[in-house]
């Protein structure tokens, strides 16, 4: 799994990589520029676009010089805008690439930039070497870039954005950010989405194991990582091996939540799914989902279940229902939706939640549980302290949901799409997580497989249905996620 290290550690990473592979730093810069050019080529640009490349005096600018050369060689009409005064000392690798810029590339100062003369803008002005507050001229250059109406492709980070924190100033507003080796932390914060645009990670040959040598608790989960976290079942596996789970979900008017969680759990592979629901609502589940069983509050033996998921559609007044589950079950469970709202109003119940359990708040639920926060960085800190203190896992939901583990590691998910922002998609996730727990997955395995596959299912459904995607489409795409990951 990719580790997310600090921007200030990137130089150290580079020198480790350069030593190990016996390559020059210039070749590493060339790999970055080649990766960018390859991505650019794979997009539907027509070949007659006029490309503006803004370059600074550091290595981010160096990437820009190399990109300008490569795109020019590929036939694009490139103009390079220097964002430094004549006579400025360039970083050594930037200087080497500046000297290699072919004559077919026009050179101008950023002050001469006319936005209407270009179709695409590449922002290689400032990267992870940004220090302190933006200088006055940097603000003017960023404003000039932001006056451009077409696509803005930022190299490594949108210029002006600090790599690991937030800022109070205006940064480049990119349509895409093509970041090298690993996503810089600030690119994963919701408050920076306005600057980052779509995020693309470009492989420049640095291996996961090289990143592992640098200290950090942040990770980035990608498709290639997931199969290793799955359990394998042999040909004698019976439905008991795939787990008996209980979903404590649904109330009058909210039975859809129970239905969605239960069906998702079945699609994720659960052997037996039982719903604990109000007796008056039993017909809804029994007739819509014959594969599930239902039980009512006075008849349930919690201890016979391999995993329990509580909360979707439960109703925020169901305090006793939640308390009874917590008093009668000691293995890790999943707590979502109304169960989280109840916990936030009855904080004394938190210590009853079994160690290793998974809490899945979206941002409002997070705020209800932990109070108002100013930034994602603050949320991550609060979640980490909570996880360590209570030995609980927290999933902060949203784009790039963050899996916060009991030992303090925090894993950002890469799958998902904006079309998942629809009623019931969280209920689908609760079903999936509970299902994996019931199949004998550890909470960490359940989170990694469940969160990634839920996002992937959302991507699959969204590709077909765009903003018409509904939660049922997401759950019906679960089988395709197993196929794509080759999990039988
Ligand atoms: N392993 C990697 O990730 C690689 C990174 N490379 C590139 O190298 C970049 C980092 O290069 P550098 O360390 O040279 O740094 P940058 O090029 O990001 O920044 C240095 C420049 O920013 C200016 N600057 C710094 N703080 C400023 C402020 N507050 N206001 C205005 N200007 C300011 C400096 O005067 C200098 O010109 C990465 O972002 C990436 O683009 C690639 O070349 C190769 C591989
Ligand atoms: N813009 C987005 N990009 C990626 N995933 C998203 C986005 N918006 C929502 N999601 C995902 O959809 C799910 C929504 O969950 P939740 O807010 O609990 O929905 P509900 O309460 O309607 O079931 C979460 O897993 C979240 O990560
Ligand atoms: K940049």
């Amino acid at each position: 799994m990719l580790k997310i290290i600090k921007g200030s550690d990137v130089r150290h990473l580079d020198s480790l990589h350069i030593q190990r592979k016996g390559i020059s730093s210039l070749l590493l810069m060339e790999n970055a520029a080649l990766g960018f050019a390859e991505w650019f080529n794979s997009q539907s640009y027509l070949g007659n676009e006029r490309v503006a490349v803004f370059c600074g005096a550091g290595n981010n600018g160096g990437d820009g010089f190399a990109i300008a050369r490569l795109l020019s060689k590929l036939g694009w009409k490139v103009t390079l805008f220097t964002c430094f005064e004549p006579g400025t000392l360039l970083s050594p690798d930037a200087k080497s690439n500046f000297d290699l810029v072919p004559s077919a590339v026009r050179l101008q100062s950023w002050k001469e930039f006319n936005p209407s003369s270009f179709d695409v803008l590449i922002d290689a002005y400032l990267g992870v070497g940004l220090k302190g507050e933006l200088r006055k001229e940097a603000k003017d250059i960023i404003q000039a870039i932001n006056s451009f109406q077409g696509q803005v492709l930022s190299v490594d980070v949108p210029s002006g954005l600090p790599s690991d924190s937030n800022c109070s100033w205006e940064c480049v507003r990119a349509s895409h950010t093509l970041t090298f080796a690993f996503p810089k932390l600030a690119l994963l914060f919701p408050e920076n989405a306005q600057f980052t645009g779509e995020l693309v990670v470009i492989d420049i040959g640095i291996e996961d194991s090289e990143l592992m040598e640098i200290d950090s608790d942040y990770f980035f989960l990608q498709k290639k990582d997931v199969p290793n976290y799955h359990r394998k079942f042999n040909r004698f596996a019976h439905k008991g091996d795939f787990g008996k789970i209980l979903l404590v979900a649904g109330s009058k008017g909210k039975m859809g939540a129970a239905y969605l969680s239960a069906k998702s759990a079945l699609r994720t592979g659960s052997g037996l799914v039982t719903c604990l629901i109000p007796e008056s609502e039993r017909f809804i589940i029994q007739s819509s989902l014959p594969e599930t069983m239902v039980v009512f509050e006075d008849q349930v033996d919690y201890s016979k279940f391999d995993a329990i998921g509580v909360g979707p559609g439960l109703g925020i007044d169901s305090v006793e229902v939640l308390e009874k589950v917590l008093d009668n079950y000691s293995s890790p469970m999943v707590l979502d939706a109304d169960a989280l709202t109840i916990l936030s109003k009855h904080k004394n119940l938190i210590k009853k939640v079994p160690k290793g359990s998974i809490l899945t708040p979206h941002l409002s639920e997070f705020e209800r549980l932990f109070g108002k926060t100013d930034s994602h960085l603050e949320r991550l800190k609060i979640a980490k302290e909570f996880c360590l203190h209570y030995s609980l896992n927290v999933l902060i939901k949203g784009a790039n949901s963050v899996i916060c583990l009991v030992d303090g590691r925090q894993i950002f998910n890469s799958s998902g799409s904006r079309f998942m922002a629809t009623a019931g998609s969280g209920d689908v996730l609760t079903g999936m997580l509970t299902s994996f727990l019931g199949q004998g997955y550890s909470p960490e395995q359940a989170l990694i497989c469940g969160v990634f596959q839920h996002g992937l299912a959302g991507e699959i459904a969204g590709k077909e249905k765009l903003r018409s995607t509904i939660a049922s489409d997401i759950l019906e795409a679960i089988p395709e996620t197993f196929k794509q990951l080759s999990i039988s």
Side-chain angles (χ1 to χ4, degrees):
M1 198 182 297
L2 276 181
K3 205 171 198 181
I4 299 171
I5 63 168
K6 285 203 194 91
S8 54
D9 286 333
V10 166
R11 287 218 169 183
H12 177 43
L13 172 73
D14 287 356
S15 51
L16 272 178
H17 180 72
I18 287 163
Q19 268 178 13
R20 190 148 309 160
K21 300 276 157 156
I23 62 165
S24 65
S25 57
L26 196 60
L27 183 58
L28 188 60
M29 187 177 275
E30 191 69 13
N31 286 344
L34 279 167
F36 184 100
E38 199 174 298
W39 179 87
F40 191 92
N41 250 338
S42 72
Q43 301 302 294
S44 47
Y45 299 116
L46 298 173
N48 56 355
E49 277 89 354
R50 297 157 301 169
V51 183
V53 187
F54 276 63
C55 293
N59 284 344
N60 196 246
D63 295 341
F65 298 137
I67 289 166
R69 164 170 45 84
L70 294 170
L71 293 186
S72 167
K73 291 236 164 89
L74 288 167
W76 269 281
K77 209 165 153 242
V78 182
T79 305
L80 204 157
F81 290 94
T82 52
C83 303
F84 45 83
E85 293 303 316
T88 303
L89 200 64
L90 305 185
S91 80
D93 290 339
K95 173 78 173 73
S96 303
N97 271 309
F98 185 68
D99 293 342
L100 290 174
V101 174
S103 55
V105 173
R106 258 177 80 192
L107 267 180
Q108 289 192 309
S109 157
W110 71 270
K111 290 173 189 155
E112 297 169 272
F113 176 59
N114 176 5
S116 60
S117 306
F118 295 93
D119 303 301
V120 188
L121 189 153
I122 296 173
D123 155 39
Y125 170 36
L126 300 169
V128 300
L130 175 79
K131 298 221 163 50
E133 297 214 349
L134 273 191
R135 297 199 282 266
K136 162 81 176 77
E137 189 175 66
K139 288 186 180 160
D140 295 341
I141 294 171
I142 287 168
Q143 199 175 27
I145 295 175
N146 284 344
S147 69
F148 182 64
Q149 298 297 311
Q151 285 217 334
V152 175
L153 312 176
S154 281
V155 175
D156 212 19
V157 292
S159 293
L161 185 68
S163 49
D164 321 304
S165 60
N166 295 104
C167 61
S168 54
W169 50 81
E170 182 72 5
C171 308
V172 163
R173 293 177 177 270
S175 35
H176 291 78
T177 296
L178 290 101
T179 196
F180 298 131
F182 66 94
K184 315 302 172 281
L185 191 62
L187 302 176
L188 301 168
F189 297 169
E191 55 269 39
N192 293 332
Q194 52 180 331
F195 305 128
T196 308
E198 301 296 322
L199 181 63
V200 182
V201 181
I202 305 268
D203 180 2
I204 59 170
I206 293 176
E207 286 161 28
D208 293 11
S209 58
E210 296 176 82
L211 281 158
M212 281 301 175
E213 291 184 33
I214 296 172
D215 189 41
S216 166
D217 279 336
Y218 301 121
F219 297 83
F220 191 62
L221 176 65
Q222 294 172 295
K223 198 173 192 174
K224 68 174 172 54
D225 303 316
V226 179
N228 287 336
Y229 287 87
H230 270 284
R231 277 196 65 191
K232 291 184 181 53
F233 294 95
N234 67 33
R235 69 193 171 89
F236 293 98
H238 53 83
K239 72 180 180 228
D241 294 328
F242 287 101
K244 295 188 286 294
I245 67 157
L246 177 72
L247 290 163
V248 185
S251 53
K252 193 170 176 193
K254 288 186 177 175
M255 289 309 292
Y259 168 87
L260 289 168
S261 303
K263 193 161 186 193
S264 302
L266 287 162
R267 286 284 186 225
T268 305
S270 286
L272 283 164
V273 176
T274 304
C275 292
L276 171 57
I277 54 171
E279 190 161 2
S280 59
E281 310 303 308
R282 65 189 181 281
F283 294 116
I284 297 173
I285 295 292
Q286 298 250 261
S287 53
S288 61
L289 203 54
E291 294 86 349
T292 57
M293 292 178 291
V294 295
V295 285
F296 315 114
E297 232 201 306
D298 46 359
Q299 347 169 300
V300 58
D301 173 5
Y302 297 92
S303 64
K304 72 173 201 197
F305 293 100
D306 298 308
I308 298 183
V310 200
L314 184 65
I316 55 171
D317 298 323
S318 304
V319 189
E320 284 101 54
V321 178
L322 175 63
E323 197 160 8
K324 211 160 174 186
V325 179
L326 296 178
D327 284 337
N328 288 285
Y329 197 73
S330 56
S331 297
M333 58 171 77
V334 180
L335 291 135
D336 179 37
D338 293 339
L340 297 176
T341 303
I342 296 172
L343 276 189
S344 61
K345 287 192 189 148
H346 302 269
K347 296 252 162 57
N348 58 317
L349 293 182
I350 293 177
K351 58 179 184 308
K352 292 189 174 191
V353 178
K355 287 198 187 349
S357 292
I358 299 170
L359 277 59
T360 62
H362 55 53
L363 294 189
S364 309
E365 285 157 355
F366 189 94
E367 201 170 303
R368 256 174 247 151
L369 270 169
F370 301 111
K372 208 166 166 46
T373 45
D374 287 336
S375 69
H376 216 48
L377 207 54
E378 197 184 335
R379 261 178 227 129
L380 295 173
K381 189 167 168 276
I382 292 171
K384 185 174 178 171
E385 281 163 10
F386 177 86
C387 292
L388 289 168
H389 183 78
Y390 287 101
S391 288
L392 294 173
N393 301 283
V394 172
L395 175 72
I396 309 175
K397 289 190 297 195
N400 296 122
S401 294
V402 196
I403 299 169
C404 306
L405 296 173
V406 288
D407 60 6
R409 281 177 295 146
Q410 300 191 313
I411 303 173
F412 289 79
N413 183 36
S414 64
S415 66
S417 98
R418 60 179 63 84
F419 304 129
M420 300 176 75
T422 179
S425 61
D427 307 333
V428 172
L429 178 65
T430 299
M432 295 179 78
L433 293 172
T434 313
S435 174
F436 281 132
L437 278 183
Q439 292 175 55
Y441 286 55
S442 69
E444 178 176 343
Q445 285 176 300
L447 275 161
I448 286 174
C449 299
V451 172
F452 185 86
Q453 283 182 238
H454 177 249
L456 183 58
E459 284 175 26
I460 295 164
K463 216 170 260 169
E464 283 271 308
K465 304 256 168 70
L466 304 171
R467 68 174 66 174
S468 308
T469 304
I470 58 172
S472 296
D473 301 325
I474 301 175
L475 84 81
E476 289 307 346
I478 296 171
E480 177 62 23
T481 67
F482 284 109
K483 252 196 216 163
Q484 288 196 13
L485 294 166
S486 303
I487 305 297
S488 52

